[in-house]
Amino acid sequence: MSAGPTTQATLSFDGIGMTFPDGTEALRDIGFAVDRGEFVTVVGPSGCGKSTLLKIASGLLEPTAGTVSVDRERIGYVFQDATLLHWRTVMGNVELFAELHAISKADRRTLAQNAIDLVGLTGFEDHYPKSLSGGMKMRASLARTLTLSPPVFLFDEPFGAVDEITREHLNEETQQLFQREGFAGLFITHSIGEAVFMSTKVLVMSARPGRIVAEFDVPFDYPRHPDLRFDPDFAKLSGEVSRELRGSHS
Amino acid sequence: MTTTNETTDETTEAYRRTVSFGLDDAPHVIQGPSRTRSLAANVLPPLVLGILLIGGWYLISYVMLDESRRFLLEPPHAVLQVGFLDWDNFSEILQGLWSSTKVALTGLVIAILIGFSLAILMSQSKLFERAIFPYMVTLQAIPILAIVPLISFWWGTGQRSRVVVCIIISLFPIIVNTLFGLQSAERGMHDLFTLHGAGRGTRLRKLMFPAALPAIFAGLRISAGLSVIGAIVGDFFFGRGDIGIGQLLRRYANQLDGEQLLAAVMMSSVLGVTVFQLFGWIQNRAIGKWYDPAGV
Ligand SMILES: Nc1ncnc2c1ncn2[C@@H]1O[C@H](COP(=O)(O)OP(=O)(O)OP(=O)(O)O)[C@@H](O)[C@H]1O
Ligand SMILES: [Mg+2]
């Protein structure tokens, strides 16, 4: 879990600490790595510094201790809110990142259409965000990030605001995307089921200041079928994660 | 997102329209089946009140005022005949209106240019914002009547001075609303632009400006109305040059032309309403497709 040999990984944290100017210590000595083909999920109590960790990974925040190594050129970062631009259609929103990266109009359109098809929003290209459901907005937000085929994908509780059924659908689709694209995934969630279902590895974070207190490898093969959720091994692993999480609340 | 409690009574509806920058045909405000019913509900009350008011008007003209004082409030049909149906009189009013409209629009366009520039400047630098804002508030606080003598002192009493009055009176809402709008883009959206390396210009064009449009239109609607008032007030006080509706109002009042005075007042109001509606229409064309007054 420490640095050194892992610096070659697609994304790695080494000794990350974060103390905000007001004195809040959000993170302490975080060190782990995520390589391509890995999908690591962090679960932890509310306010333990999970979002802060992703902001540091993406470069939106500078840590007060330690280093991050990652290629920030094409980083995929899906926020908790869909943050779609209200004045753009689904197509316009999905094209945005490619546009900001100065990709030509024609290529941008192709990339966006492919991404829209991939997340199942075909037919909604001309809709404005105000006429989309929460789940559809989240899909559009995913599609927008997919256009860049990012080698690193950060997810900050992206499905926290959608209903259970939609969430399970989106979990399955995310897991398929991961399989297809083979990115290095770092996912934040409150839901243990979601964490175990999608990940290759689950990390448990302690209450503030956030530290990694436990690590679980998830052995199930991909593609994972929704019925996996009712598998005894799945239940057992979820139980262990849950126990650690409760312990971390202290 | 659509609001589910459609059982809005008139006041909440009206309130929502005000807070929603007056965008009045957003799909969820008036919905299909209730449309005819709400049309009746919207048209009947003002119609009934209008009839009552006209009745009251006749009552005052004929019962409360004796013949020697009737010029104070001529009855409606006299106003109609003399003020509106007599073409010589009415065309005079129309010409005055047109002159004032030109002044108001010129002033408004200049105020928009100045207002946008200042608001953009202020949005780009806290230093500018802090430096400029107190003066804007001060300018806004000067009663327009107090500044009219100064304006005529500097620019004379011609067309130009009237335009200056319009600019001063309509500038503040444009600046404040544009600035507020430019600053209204969500933090998360800014983060997206930061993550993907957007520069200042790109951020302004693709994020801040479109996000500001609803507020900008709210400001424009207020300013357009104020600009019309400015044109009339300016014309009224300077009282020279091209004859606008302000000078006509003053002349009719001096000559005790009650019918024409009332007709001119009504037409001024029509001008104000028209300008307000015009900007509402432009707003709907520009942002009605995507703007959701209930917030996203
Ligand atoms: N800019 C800031 N200044 C000061 N304190 C901050 C700042 N941002 C976050 N914090 C604090 O740091 C801690 C971690 O915040 P963070 O948003 O990372 O938590 P989180 O684990 O994502 O919580 P949740 O699960 O509720 O989203 C919180 O206590 C929060 O109040
Ligand atoms: Mg968070």
Side-chain angles (χ1 to χ4, degrees):
Chain A
M1 264 173 65
S2 66
T6 58
T7 42
Q8 292 308 309
T10 315
L11 164 65
S12 67
F13 300 96
D14 184 16
I16 294 293
M18 182 72 207
T19 306
F20 285 105
D22 66 358
T24 312
E25 188 185 10
L27 296 171
R28 182 185 292 174
D29 197 28
I30 303 277
F32 68 92
V34 188
D35 220 335
R36 288 195 79 122
E38 283 188 301
F39 196 107
V40 175
T41 295
V42 177
V43 291
S46 190
C48 72
K50 304 181 295 294
S51 298
T52 305
L53 186 66
L54 290 198
K55 283 188 188 144
I56 288 172
S58 68
L60 284 176
L61 267 182
E62 275 297 315
T64 47
T67 51
V68 185
S69 106
V70 63
D71 173 17
R72 295 219 171 98
E73 208 24 62
R74 280 184 0 228
I75 206 158
Y77 190 169
V78 183
F79 299 149
Q80 175 156 9
D81 302 323
T83 45
L84 300 176
L85 306 183
H86 316 315
W87 50 91
R88 287 188 177 222
T89 59
V90 167
M91 179 54 88
N93 267 290
V94 176
E95 282 183 331
L96 177 71
F97 292 173
E99 202 176 310
L100 293 177
H101 287 269
I103 293 171
S104 80
K105 233 188 175 104
D107 290 350
R108 206 197 282 163
R109 184 48 61 102
T110 318
L111 285 172
Q113 190 62 58
N114 288 344
I116 287 171
D117 295 343
L118 204 61
V119 300
L121 276 181
T122 317
F124 290 92
E125 289 85 350
D126 295 332
H127 283 235
Y128 284 91
K130 75 170 179 185
S131 67
L132 299 181
S133 71
M136 288 160 88
K137 284 185 198 166
M138 224 44 242
R139 287 195 160 93
S141 169
L142 264 180
R144 176 173 68 183
T145 310
L146 282 170
T147 54
L148 298 178
S149 310
V152 181
F153 229 119
L154 310 173
F155 302 85
D156 192 355
E157 290 187 50
F159 311 137
V162 299
D163 63 274
E164 190 65 27
I165 299 170
T166 311
R167 175 194 279 239
E168 288 185 4
H169 267 290
L170 290 168
N171 285 166
E172 213 185 321
E173 284 162 22
T174 309
Q175 177 247 138
Q176 280 163 8
L177 277 179
F178 166 62
Q179 244 195 295
R180 239 180 80 118
E181 310 266 323
F183 48 74
L186 179 54
F187 195 98
I188 304 291
T189 181
H190 276 122
S191 156
I192 294 169
E194 178 171 87
V196 176
F197 183 75
M198 291 190 295
S199 320
T200 57
K201 190 190 276 183
V202 177
L203 302 178
V204 178
M205 216 160 150
S206 69
R208 213 169 37 132
R211 284 147 295 153
I212 304 294
V213 291
E215 175 182 336
F216 297 89
D217 285 316
V218 184
F220 312 114
D221 290 333
Y222 292 89
R224 293 178 182 170
H225 191 267
D227 284 345
L228 175 65
R229 290 196 174 82
F230 307 106
D231 189 288
D233 290 335
F234 186 93
K236 183 160 167 288
L237 187 54
S238 302
E240 283 169 32
V241 175
S242 174
R243 207 165 306 122
E244 277 299 336
L245 198 53
R246 256 177 283 134
S248 77
H249 260 282
S250 57
Chain B
M1 275 173 224
T2 23
T3 21
T4 38
N5 51 338
E6 285 301 309
T7 50
T8 40
D9 57 283
E10 295 300 306
T11 24
T12 35
E13 175 108 325
Y15 172 72
R16 194 160 65 181
R17 285 189 192 187
T18 350
V19 296
S20 66
F21 305 125
L23 192 76
D24 32 36
D25 71 3
H28 68 278
V29 174
I30 300 168
Q31 267 174 352
S34 65
R35 182 165 257 164
T36 42
R37 202 193 57 204
S38 78
L39 192 72
N42 284 336
V43 170
L44 270 181
L47 199 67
V48 170
L49 183 62
I51 291 170
L52 286 178
L53 283 176
I54 290 179
W57 182 351
Y58 270 114
L59 200 72
I60 297 174
S61 294
Y62 282 120
V63 181
M64 291 172 65
L65 295 173
D66 57 54
E67 202 156 348
S68 61
R69 291 171 64 232
R70 189 155 301 147
F71 70 91
L72 287 175
L73 190 67
E74 298 285 355
H77 65 267
V79 172
L80 189 68
Q81 254 161 22
V82 180
F84 289 92
L85 299 180
D86 180 323
W87 178 246
D88 281 347
N89 290 343
F90 191 55
S91 67
E92 188 177 57
I93 293 177
L94 286 185
Q95 271 163 17
L97 269 186
W98 176 233
S99 159
S100 296
T101 307
K102 280 189 293 190
V103 170
L105 289 183
T106 312
L108 186 64
V109 168
I110 298 175
I112 289 172
L113 293 178
I114 299 175
F116 276 15
S117 312
L118 284 179
I120 289 172
L121 215 59
M122 288 158 88
S123 77
Q124 295 299 301
S125 148
K126 275 270 169 253
L127 189 71
F128 273 118
E129 184 183 341
R130 278 198 293 265
I132 297 174
F133 210 83
Y135 294 100
M136 290 323 305
V137 177
T138 313
L139 186 67
Q140 158 76 3
I142 301 174
I144 196 70
L145 287 186
I147 213 171
V148 161
L150 191 62
I151 291 171
S152 64
F153 186 64
W154 283 340
W155 287 288
T157 51
Q159 210 75 350
R160 195 161 39 158
S161 292
R162 296 184 217 166
V163 171
V164 172
V165 173
C166 293
I167 296 172
I168 292 178
I169 205 174
S170 60
L171 192 57
F172 188 73
I174 294 178
I175 294 183
V176 171
N177 280 277
T178 307
L179 181 61
F180 165 78
L182 290 171
Q183 293 172 339
S184 72
E186 291 160 33
R187 176 70 185 274
M189 295 182 179
H190 275 289
D191 285 347
L192 288 179
F193 278 71
T194 307
L195 280 173
H196 296 282
R200 247 169 211 269
T202 311
R203 193 182 293 263
L204 187 65
R205 258 182 313 122
K206 298 195 169 172
L207 174 60
M208 294 165 72
F209 188 71
L213 282 174
I216 287 177
F217 277 109
L220 280 185
R221 270 181 119 166
I222 299 169
S223 290
L226 286 175
S227 188
V228 169
I229 293 174
I232 296 173
V233 168
D235 187 42
F236 186 91
F237 280 95
F238 298 135
R240 254 186 255 157
D242 208 1
I243 293 178
I245 198 78
Q247 286 184 59
L248 289 179
L249 287 169
R250 164 175 283 192
R251 174 163 21 110
Y252 296 149
N254 288 343
Q255 297 175 350
L256 306 184
D257 287 332
E259 299 96 337
Q260 291 177 69
L261 182 60
L262 278 171
V265 168
M266 287 175 190
M267 290 308 289
S268 309
S269 150
V270 166
L271 176 61
V273 171
T274 308
V275 168
F276 188 77
Q277 293 294 344
L278 176 72
F279 277 87
W281 180 80
I282 297 175
Q283 168 181 324
N284 268 333
R285 290 295 304 251
I287 65 174
K289 278 202 302 272
W290 60 263
Y291 179 57
D292 182 359
V296 181

